[in-house]
Amino acid sequence: MGDITTTIKNGNTILGIEFGSTRIKAVLIDEYHNPIASGEHVWENRLDHGIWTYSLEDIWKGLQESYSNMAADVEKKFGVKLIKISAIGFSAMMHGYMAFNKEGELLVPFRTWRNSITGEAAKALTELFQYNIPERWSIAHLYQAILNGEKHVKDVDFFTTLAGYIHWQLTGEKVLGVGDASGMFPINTVTKDYDADMIEKFDKLVADKGYPWVLKEIMPKVLLAGDKAGTLTAKGAKLLDVSGNLESGVPVCPPEGDAGTGMVATNSVAVHTGNVSAGTSVFSMFVLEKELKQVHPEIDLVTTPDGSLVGMVHANNCTSDLNAWVGIFKEFAESYGIKVDMNELFGTLYRKALDGDADCGGLLSYGYLSGENITGLSEGRPIFVRSPESNFNLANLMRVHLFAALGALKIGMDILLKEENVKIDSILGHGGLFKTKGVGQKILAAAINAPVSVMETAGEGGPWGMALLGSYMLHKAEGETLENFLADKVFAENQCVTEIPDLQDVKGFETFIERYKKGIAIEKAALENMR
């Protein structure tokens, strides 16, 4: 305790803050990369005039409250105020669209990754570039605004991601880590910058519009892990810490996306390694040794925080509908006057799923609260379906919702593993789906027919990964790669629990996924007839 108190007083801590879909979390680590304090703020996106968004007020309130709660945690545990920090890093949900004019004013409400409103633009750019441009990507949002004839486009002076916006406001620097930048626009993994040929094609595509900008000028500068990305300004320090205790001048590392911090937090930045992050959305990230043979609309090509090529399968929907079903059981229990511990309830219901039939007894579910690109849905309608012959019981009900949480991911993963023959040496799972030991891990192993490991530190997640990137910036040796830094200085003694796929579960998931694919017609009918 005394050593940590001295560490805090001397400013030898590093702070990572990540804006997730439902939670903003701040994690403070010591010089040995151990989390010593944390704070969080719960938030939720809103559907405003058909756009999934968070307001600027939401963003700043959430940032300030998560920091304040972390600082209060420091004071409660160690009896000292947090005044000095040696490095800070900010990360957030990737993709989306935040566009600003020359005065720094937001031109339209923040359009998050969750919006499925850019299908026309994404398809056109994919054809133009011969490179998959998903609907979530920032360039798809910009081009869709152009196709829509939106008046604000002519006034765009800068557009960026949520992490890039926070970093800009706190440091004055319009930069972005390469991993987050790769979700804005394709990256050339040789130059470690935006693909120059594709930028030229885009500029020619919109030249007749007469905009006063060219694309490269309005995007953030690309930086790599380990680069210095500015310092916390006096204004930024006051924005972050409303108490005024935090000193300015703190070095800040390149802002990153949640996919990149997930790779760092699971030590999955080396070729042939991968991870699956499962929460509100679910995505898998696998570091590739070469380009894919074909363009697949189900596969994003992004990068690690140090610029290596990554195949990413991203599904918009994962645990939200599953959580809603657990909430129904909570409401049922409370109707009988039973006080419910949510962690215990989740654990009990998740474990019950392991008693179900391998193929979920013929049940079918789609937890689509929003659209799903992989299965071709522009909007979502959560539905649960069964036939008269289905084996409808609690175990199968929970099992089908867990399977369905990974359904869209499974379709994309099959392309990588079965069609592209991507080699995977290790897969790490992290996120809310894996909190109940052995359950989400076992089901993911069945879905991809490969061993899945969960680290002791997996629960720390993205903000811890962001703090590790801050440490890499500060402490890397000359020529030391991010891969070696993580392996030698962070994860050398980390323990993993590995789940080997069960053959019956694998067969059961294959049966389920065929039912899931055929049932997409039901989901489409629900979309057409439920308004």
Side-chain angles (χ1 to χ4, degrees), residues 29 54 63 98 114 191 221 251 261 332 347 495 526:
I29 66 172
Y54 303 87
L63 177 66
M98 297 191 80
R114 197 170 191 175
T191 64
K221 179 183 177 182
T261 58
F332 171 78
Q495 299 297 313

Side-chain angles (χ1 to χ4, degrees), residues 271-291:
V271 172
H272 297 157
T273 65
N275 77 93
V276 173
S277 174
T280 303
S281 64
V282 58
F283 53 84
S284 61
M285 310 284 294
F286 295 97
V287 187
L288 307 175
E289 60 180 332
K290 58 183 178 181
E291 295 278 353

Side-chain angles (χ1 to χ4, degrees), residues 56 74 126 181 276 363 441 520:
L56 294 183
V74 169
T126 296
V276 173
L363 307 183
Q441 191 178 354
I520 293 297

Side-chain angles (χ1 to χ4, degrees), residues 97-99 138-139 142 156-160 184 215 218-220:
Y97 182 69
M98 297 191 80
S138 307
I139 191 62
L142 175 64
V156 174
D157 184 67
F158 177 56
F159 77 111
T160 188
M184 286 192 72
L215 186 58
I218 61 173
M219 289 196 295

Side-chain angles (χ1 to χ4, degrees), residues 258-270 272-278 282-287 304 310-313 409 413 424 426-431 434 444 448 452-453:
D258 52 356
T261 58
M263 286 186 276
V264 171
T266 55
N267 192 24
S268 304
V269 300
H272 297 157
T273 65
N275 77 93
V276 173
S277 174
V282 58
F283 53 84
S284 61
M285 310 284 294
F286 295 97
V287 187
T304 62
V310 172
M312 177 182 184
V313 180
L409 180 81
M413 286 294 298
I424 302 297
S426 64
I427 301 171
L428 277 295
H430 63 111
F434 303 104
L444 176 60
I448 61 178
V452 176
S453 300

Side-chain angles (χ1 to χ4, degrees), residues 407-450:
L409 180 81
K410 160 75 170 170
I411 293 171
M413 286 294 298
D414 281 351
I415 293 171
L416 274 180
L417 299 177
K418 296 178 181 180
E419 294 183 26
E420 290 284 349
N421 297 313
V422 169
K423 180 183 176 184
I424 302 297
D425 292 336
S426 64
I427 301 171
L428 277 295
H430 63 111
L433 190 70
F434 303 104
K435 284 185 178 179
T436 300
K437 287 187 177 180
V439 180
Q441 191 178 354
K442 185 178 180 68
I443 289 172
L444 176 60
I448 61 178
N449 193 20

